[in-house]
Amino acid sequence: MFIVVGVTGGIAAYKTVQLVRLLVLEGHDVHVIPTEDALRFVGLTTWEAISRNPVTTSVHEDVSEVRHVALGRKADLIVVAPATANTLASMAAGLADDLLGTTLLATSAPVVVAPAMHTEMWRHPATVANIQTLRSRGVHVVGPADGPLTGGDSGPGRMSEPEEIAASALALASAEGDLAGLVVAVSTGGTREPIDPVRYVGNRSSGRQGAEIALAAAARGAHVRLVAAHVDDGVLATASLHPRIELSRIATAGELGSAMREAAAEADVVVMVAAVADYRVADVAPEKLRKEDGPLTTLQLVENEDILAGLVATRRRGQTIVGFAAETAANEEELLDRARRKRRRKGVDLLVVNEVGWDKGFEASDNHVAVIDARDEVAAEASGTKREVADAVWDAVLAARGSSA
Ligand code: CTP
């Protein structure tokens, strides 16, 4: 999304640095418009570095491009944080005396404000009336929170935390996406099968692609139930804050099976991205296994259920089921051949296949996939960031649902 973040002159501007960072990490194209006053608190260089885009404050720069109109038109969402009492008054009056004011008048995108001021100013009838006016025009107000303020006093007026502002703003902007109204169940990460209380059998899945599948769906308006096995550090940071993602954590294939059956019972689409252990240890030792108790050179394994095949066998009417396969292959033909056979074996509507190897596919932020459809054709191929791949998978899901409707 193209997001404009307006920053006005309050000390809470330092928290907006984190807000911009969160939005950028989520994959959005963020353009910061600070007011002259805001730059007294946080400098232009910080905004440029954190947003990865050039920053201007004046309507007199880039005049040929009519920058305010361009930004206002391009924006999918505008967030003003912190919004001072003065800014709220200007917005309510429709003043256009700087780049932010003109941009706000030139947009039809949803606008979110996060007020920050002292309690007395927040409660003043002028501010109360301005907030009412803005709300009546559809402006969405996040906060302010009740808590310690800069002067050492306490009360309502503190800007909401960046995570809360980001979550509300993104939810508002994506409520109308092409997946709005759909409930989707997504699994991610790698299961771990215990050997004893300290050891396990696991795999290299980072959980990144599944987290992006969930975030992309939520960004396009779906309600997401994300079941996560083991994932790398930080992979679920954004997903865990999204208002339309319900996150549950599990460890083993057995737990994943129960959680996915429950999630799938309500879902229109099921996407199994998790790397599921095919086997578990037959007799898990209740105590740590020690060498002094005798050498352990073999593990007795028993087969785990095939969760995906089970979900296909008990699917709801109209439910679309997507499997993932990470395969090693000598060439593209062999890769697609394996994928087609796996799709048929599992009975899924779509199978997303990517090639993996010792140094391919796992920790990388980029991915390359092919999507095999129910006619065994390559419905889509996608290369790029895991978010871009996730969006391509959702496009293929929508196409498959459209053609079976
Ligand atoms: N899967 C599952 N339950 C299992 C194993 C896999 O639900 N016990 C799902 C995965 O989440 C994935 C798809 O099935 O969506 C393919 O996983 P993969 O491990 O490639 O399939 P396997 O049937 O285990 O085939 P292979 O013998 O190639 O490992």
Side-chain angles (χ1 to χ4, degrees):
M1 253 191 301
F2 190 106
I3 304 179
V4 170
V5 176
V7 189
T8 73
I11 181 62
Y14 82 92
K15 291 208 271 186
T16 308
V17 176
Q18 174 67 0
L19 169 66
V20 171
R21 187 167 171 275
L22 285 172
L23 297 172
V24 170
L25 286 180
E26 255 249 39
H28 300 291
D29 186 12
V30 182
H31 295 259
V32 179
I33 309 182
T35 59
E36 287 294 338
D37 253 5
L39 293 178
R40 290 170 188 252
F41 294 92
V42 178
L44 197 115
T45 324
T46 303
W47 297 121
E48 292 203 326
I50 209 86
S51 70
R52 305 176 188 168
N53 273 315
V55 170
T56 49
T57 58
S58 159
V59 255
H60 308 300
E61 286 171 56
D62 295 326
V63 175
S64 60
E65 290 177 30
V66 200
R67 197 163 160 75
H68 57 288
V69 178
L71 287 170
R73 274 196 196 138
K74 267 196 205 157
D76 299 306
L77 168 69
I78 301 190
V79 186
V80 183
T84 59
N86 189 54
T87 305
L88 296 173
S90 304
M91 286 174 75
L95 295 188
D97 52 0
D98 60 7
L99 186 59
L100 180 58
T102 47
T103 304
L104 282 163
L105 283 188
T107 196
S108 56
V111 176
V112 175
V113 295
M117 66 200 72
H118 276 274
T119 308
E120 295 81 352
M121 295 168 81
W122 174 246
R123 290 195 174 138
H124 193 282
T127 310
V128 172
N130 288 333
I131 285 283
Q132 248 171 16
T133 305
L134 293 173
R135 280 210 170 107
S136 70
R137 286 188 204 140
V139 171
H140 188 76
V141 183
V142 182
D146 200 331
L149 302 166
T150 331
D153 46 349
S154 188
R158 199 180 146 80
M159 188 173 91
S160 295
E161 293 309 309
E163 291 78 10
E164 191 191 334
I165 301 171
S168 312
L170 293 174
L172 183 76
S174 56
E176 292 300 308
D178 57 0
L179 299 177
L182 289 185
V183 176
V184 309
V186 179
S187 70
T188 195
T191 64
R192 287 180 163 184
E193 307 302 321
I195 300 170
D196 67 13
V198 293
R199 304 181 181 93
Y200 60 85
V201 181
N203 60 67
R204 285 178 59 198
S205 173
S206 68
R208 239 174 230 114
Q209 185 63 73
E212 293 297 340
I213 292 275
L215 284 168
R220 289 165 71 158
H223 184 87
V224 183
R225 299 181 80 177
L226 175 62
V227 180
H230 177 78
V231 300
D232 282 1
D233 280 353
V235 164
L236 297 173
T238 316
S240 64
L241 294 167
H242 201 290
R244 273 198 307 279
I245 299 182
E246 272 175 73
L247 174 65
S248 50
R249 303 298 311 265
I250 51 82
T252 64
E255 291 165 2
L256 180 64
S258 316
M260 282 309 286
R261 274 189 293 278
E262 202 189 311
E266 315 262 294
D268 302 294
V269 184
V270 178
V271 189
M272 277 289 289
V273 196
V276 189
D278 291 325
Y279 305 94
R280 66 179 178 280
V281 176
D283 294 303
V284 179
E287 296 284 329
K288 186 183 164 191
L289 296 167
R290 294 184 181 83
K291 281 204 289 281
E292 63 189 25
D293 303 327
L296 174 76
T297 51
T298 52
L299 280 176
Q300 182 73 39
L301 301 175
V302 284
E303 200 165 348
N304 280 329
E305 58 168 328
D306 188 324
I307 303 167
L308 189 54
L311 293 174
V312 169
T314 57
R315 75 198 304 166
R316 297 171 64 199
R317 266 190 74 185
Q319 188 176 61
T320 308
I321 304 190
V322 185
F324 264 69
E327 305 284 351
T328 56
N331 52 48
E332 182 83 9
E333 198 183 326
E334 187 184 313
L335 185 77
L336 293 178
D337 195 44
R338 278 187 200 289
R340 289 191 173 100
R341 275 188 280 141
K342 189 164 281 186
R343 194 207 63 75
R344 284 196 291 267
R345 186 154 54 77
K346 304 267 179 184
V348 289
D349 302 293
L350 296 171
L351 190 105
V352 183
V353 62
N354 71 316
E355 196 186 339
V356 291
W358 292 107
D359 52 5
K360 211 174 195 174
F362 289 105
E363 286 83 12
S365 56
D366 279 16
N367 206 358
H368 173 84
V369 303
V371 184
I372 307 292
D373 67 15
R375 285 166 306 181
D376 271 348
E377 278 165 20
V378 177
E381 275 191 279
S383 284
T385 61
K386 289 189 173 171
R387 180 56 167 267
E388 283 162 351
V389 165
D391 274 317
V393 170
W394 286 114
D395 291 343
V397 167
L398 283 178
R401 287 178 70 79
S403 65
S404 67

PDB file of all heavy atoms in Angstrom, residues 165-180:
ATOM      1  N   ILE A 165      -1.535   1.785  16.589  1.00  0.00           N
ATOM      2  CA  ILE A 165      -1.903   2.698  15.495  1.00  0.00           C
ATOM      3  C   ILE A 165      -1.775   1.958  14.157  1.00  0.00           C
ATOM      4  O   ILE A 165      -2.668   2.007  13.307  1.00  0.00           O
ATOM      5  CB  ILE A 165      -1.001   3.959  15.492  1.00  0.00           C
ATOM      6  CG1 ILE A 165      -1.122   4.692  16.830  1.00  0.00           C
ATOM      7  CG2 ILE A 165      -1.364   4.879  14.334  1.00  0.00           C
ATOM      8  CD1 ILE A 165      -0.117   5.808  17.011  1.00  0.00           C
ATOM      9  N   ALA A 166      -0.657   1.229  13.988  1.00  0.00           N
ATOM     10  CA  ALA A 166      -0.433   0.498  12.722  1.00  0.00           C
ATOM     11  C   ALA A 166      -1.542  -0.516  12.497  1.00  0.00           C
ATOM     12  O   ALA A 166      -2.119  -0.596  11.405  1.00  0.00           O
ATOM     13  CB  ALA A 166       0.929  -0.203  12.751  1.00  0.00           C
ATOM     14  N   ALA A 167      -1.874  -1.275  13.536  1.00  0.00           N
ATOM     15  CA  ALA A 167      -2.884  -2.323  13.397  1.00  0.00           C
ATOM     16  C   ALA A 167      -4.235  -1.717  13.024  1.00  0.00           C
ATOM     17  O   ALA A 167      -4.908  -2.183  12.098  1.00  0.00           O
ATOM     18  CB  ALA A 167      -2.973  -3.128  14.689  1.00  0.00           C
ATOM     19  N   SER A 168      -4.662  -0.649  13.710  1.00  0.00           N
ATOM     20  CA  SER A 168      -5.975  -0.054  13.411  1.00  0.00           C
ATOM     21  C   SER A 168      -5.985   0.544  12.021  1.00  0.00           C
ATOM     22  O   SER A 168      -6.967   0.411  11.287  1.00  0.00           O
ATOM     23  CB  SER A 168      -6.326   1.077  14.375  1.00  0.00           C
ATOM     24  OG  SER A 168      -6.119   0.702  15.662  1.00  0.00           O
ATOM     25  N   ALA A 169      -4.893   1.219  11.665  1.00  0.00           N
ATOM     26  CA  ALA A 169      -4.854   1.887  10.367  1.00  0.00           C
ATOM     27  C   ALA A 169      -4.913   0.862   9.233  1.00  0.00           C
ATOM     28  O   ALA A 169      -5.666   1.033   8.274  1.00  0.00           O
ATOM     29  CB  ALA A 169      -3.579   2.728  10.258  1.00  0.00           C
ATOM     30  N   LEU A 170      -4.134  -0.202   9.368  1.00  0.00           N
ATOM     31  CA  LEU A 170      -4.097  -1.207   8.299  1.00  0.00           C
ATOM     32  C   LEU A 170      -5.436  -1.934   8.192  1.00  0.00           C
ATOM     33  O   LEU A 170      -5.907  -2.240   7.102  1.00  0.00           O
ATOM     34  CB  LEU A 170      -2.955  -2.202   8.534  1.00  0.00           C
ATOM     35  CG  LEU A 170      -1.559  -1.583   8.407  1.00  0.00           C
ATOM     36  CD1 LEU A 170      -0.493  -2.591   8.798  1.00  0.00           C
ATOM     37  CD2 LEU A 170      -1.312  -1.074   6.984  1.00  0.00           C
ATOM     38  N   ALA A 171      -6.055  -2.194   9.344  1.00  0.00           N
ATOM     39  CA  ALA A 171      -7.354  -2.877   9.333  1.00  0.00           C
ATOM     40  C   ALA A 171      -8.377  -2.015   8.605  1.00  0.00           C
ATOM     41  O   ALA A 171      -9.167  -2.498   7.798  1.00  0.00           O
ATOM     42  CB  ALA A 171      -7.804  -3.163  10.751  1.00  0.00           C
ATOM     43  N   LEU A 172      -8.338  -0.720   8.877  1.00  0.00           N
ATOM     44  CA  LEU A 172      -9.297   0.196   8.261  1.00  0.00           C
ATOM     45  C   LEU A 172      -9.112   0.224   6.738  1.00  0.00           C
ATOM     46  O   LEU A 172     -10.070   0.135   5.976  1.00  0.00           O
ATOM     47  CB  LEU A 172      -9.064   1.595   8.831  1.00  0.00           C
ATOM     48  CG  LEU A 172     -10.025   2.654   8.354  1.00  0.00           C
ATOM     49  CD1 LEU A 172     -11.357   2.484   9.068  1.00  0.00           C
ATOM     50  CD2 LEU A 172      -9.468   4.040   8.619  1.00  0.00           C
ATOM     51  N   ALA A 173      -7.847   0.314   6.318  1.00  0.00           N
ATOM     52  CA  ALA A 173      -7.578   0.457   4.890  1.00  0.00           C
ATOM     53  C   ALA A 173      -7.863  -0.816   4.107  1.00  0.00           C
ATOM     54  O   ALA A 173      -8.152  -0.758   2.928  1.00  0.00           O
ATOM     55  CB  ALA A 173      -6.123   0.874   4.689  1.00  0.00           C
ATOM     56  N   SER A 174      -7.775  -1.972   4.758  1.00  0.00           N
ATOM     57  CA  SER A 174      -7.913  -3.214   3.991  1.00  0.00           C
ATOM     58  C   SER A 174      -9.275  -3.875   4.156  1.00  0.00           C
ATOM     59  O   SER A 174      -9.510  -4.936   3.599  1.00  0.00           O
ATOM     60  CB  SER A 174      -6.813  -4.186   4.392  1.00  0.00           C
ATOM     61  OG  SER A 174      -6.861  -4.396   5.771  1.00  0.00           O
ATOM     62  N   ALA A 175     -10.173  -3.228   4.920  1.00  0.00           N
ATOM     63  CA  ALA A 175     -11.472  -3.857   5.155  1.00  0.00           C
ATOM     64  C   ALA A 175     -12.209  -4.118   3.843  1.00  0.00           C
ATOM     65  O   ALA A 175     -13.110  -4.931   3.776  1.00  0.00           O
ATOM     66  CB  ALA A 175     -12.306  -2.993   6.083  1.00  0.00           C
ATOM     67  N   GLU A 176     -11.808  -3.416   2.781  1.00  0.00           N
ATOM     68  CA  GLU A 176     -12.512  -3.542   1.504  1.00  0.00           C
ATOM     69  C   GLU A 176     -11.739  -4.369   0.481  1.00  0.00           C
ATOM     70  O   GLU A 176     -12.032  -4.321  -0.697  1.00  0.00           O
ATOM     71  CB  GLU A 176     -12.760  -2.143   0.927  1.00  0.00           C
ATOM     72  CG  GLU A 176     -13.753  -1.315   1.728  1.00  0.00           C
ATOM     73  CD  GLU A 176     -15.115  -1.976   1.803  1.00  0.00           C
ATOM     74  OE1 GLU A 176     -15.632  -2.333   0.732  1.00  0.00           O
ATOM     75  OE2 GLU A 176     -15.631  -2.155   2.914  1.00  0.00           O
ATOM     76  N   GLY A 177     -10.722  -5.113   0.900  1.00  0.00           N
ATOM     77  CA  GLY A 177      -9.880  -5.847  -0.050  1.00  0.00           C
ATOM     78  C   GLY A 177     -10.614  -6.965  -0.773  1.00  0.00           C
ATOM     79  O   GLY A 177     -11.770  -7.274  -0.456  1.00  0.00           O
ATOM     80  N   ASP A 178      -9.949  -7.599  -1.745  1.00  0.00           N
ATOM     81  CA  ASP A 178     -10.623  -8.619  -2.553  1.00  0.00           C
ATOM     82  C   ASP A 178     -10.823  -9.941  -1.811  1.00  0.00           C
ATOM     83  O   ASP A 178     -11.451 -10.856  -2.334  1.00  0.00           O
ATOM     84  CB  ASP A 178      -9.925  -8.829  -3.906  1.00  0.00           C
ATOM     85  CG  ASP A 178      -8.462  -9.212  -3.767  1.00  0.00           C
ATOM     86  OD1 ASP A 178      -7.963  -9.313  -2.625  1.00  0.00           O
ATOM     87  OD2 ASP A 178      -7.807  -9.394  -4.813  1.00  0.00           O
ATOM     88  N   LEU A 179     -10.286 -10.061  -0.583  1.00  0.00           N
ATOM     89  CA  LEU A 179     -10.554 -11.263   0.216  1.00  0.00           C
ATOM     90  C   LEU A 179     -11.499 -10.934   1.387  1.00  0.00           C
ATOM     91  O   LEU A 179     -11.688 -11.762   2.278  1.00  0.00           O
ATOM     92  CB  LEU A 179      -9.242 -11.849   0.766  1.00  0.00           C
ATOM     93  CG  LEU A 179      -8.199 -12.314  -0.265  1.00  0.00           C
ATOM     94  CD1 LEU A 179      -6.941 -12.800   0.431  1.00  0.00           C
ATOM     95  CD2 LEU A 179      -8.759 -13.429  -1.141  1.00  0.00           C
ATOM     96  N   ALA A 180     -12.057  -9.718   1.389  1.00  0.00           N
ATOM     97  CA  ALA A 180     -12.944  -9.324   2.489  1.00  0.00           C
ATOM     98  C   ALA A 180     -14.102 -10.303   2.592  1.00  0.00           C
ATOM     99  O   ALA A 180     -14.666 -10.732   1.585  1.00  0.00           O
ATOM    100  CB  ALA A 180     -13.458  -7.909   2.268  1.00  0.00           C
TER     101      ALA A 180
END
